[in-house]
Amino acid sequence: MSSWQLTNYIICNSIIKRLRGLYFRNEKSMCLIYPCNCIHTFFFRRKIDVAFIDKNKSVVRVVVGLKPWRVLICKNSFYVAEKFSSNDSKFLSLGDKIII
């Protein structure tokens, strides 16, 4: 378990920003969506990495390489971090703590 300082991320906390998420963003973008416990990859053309984070800012579920046209739910999640999948970048792990 480690702590991550999230930097260079887009905060998606309004309905419009939450709906947009990673749509039309560049490949280096990372979104922090809240409140959120369910995401989808409808209309995506690339895989994404997703971390569900609880109110204590602990990572409770991680999915790497989520394919397009999928839905994920994590009932005890309050935040979701998502980015486009790539082989050259690290991502959050189960149990990590985030610092916003």
Side-chain angles (χ1 to χ4, degrees):
M1 176 171 49
S2 61
S3 292
W4 279 67
Q5 174 72 48
L6 292 185
T7 57
N8 300 323
Y9 59 92
I10 301 154
I11 295 176
C12 300
N13 59 353
S14 70
I15 290 180
I16 299 298
K17 289 179 182 179
R18 288 171 61 199
L19 283 172
R20 182 174 177 202
L22 285 175
Y23 290 123
F24 310 113
R25 308 266 189 206
N26 70 42
E27 63 187 39
K28 301 284 185 192
S29 294
M30 179 182 206
C31 291
L32 183 69
I33 305 167
Y34 69 92
C36 184
N37 63 5
C38 179
I39 60 112
H40 68 82
T41 57
F42 301 151
F43 308 107
F44 275 55
R45 294 184 177 172
R46 298 182 52 198
K47 295 177 184 178
I48 65 170
D49 298 338
V50 180
F52 290 94
I53 303 156
D54 65 14
K55 286 186 178 182
N56 297 321
K57 299 185 179 112
S58 293
V59 177
V60 294
R61 183 177 181 190
V62 176
V63 177
V64 175
L66 181 65
K67 295 178 181 178
W69 297 97
R70 303 296 192 270
V71 174
L72 282 181
I73 300 169
C74 183
K75 293 195 183 230
N76 53 342
S77 171
F78 185 75
Y79 304 92
V80 173
E82 61 182 31
K83 70 173 193 64
F84 290 110
S85 290
S86 67
N87 294 331
D88 62 342
S89 63
K90 292 173 47 178
F91 194 55
L92 298 163
S93 299
L94 191 63
D96 284 350
K97 291 285 240 181
I98 63 164
I99 302 166
I100 301 174

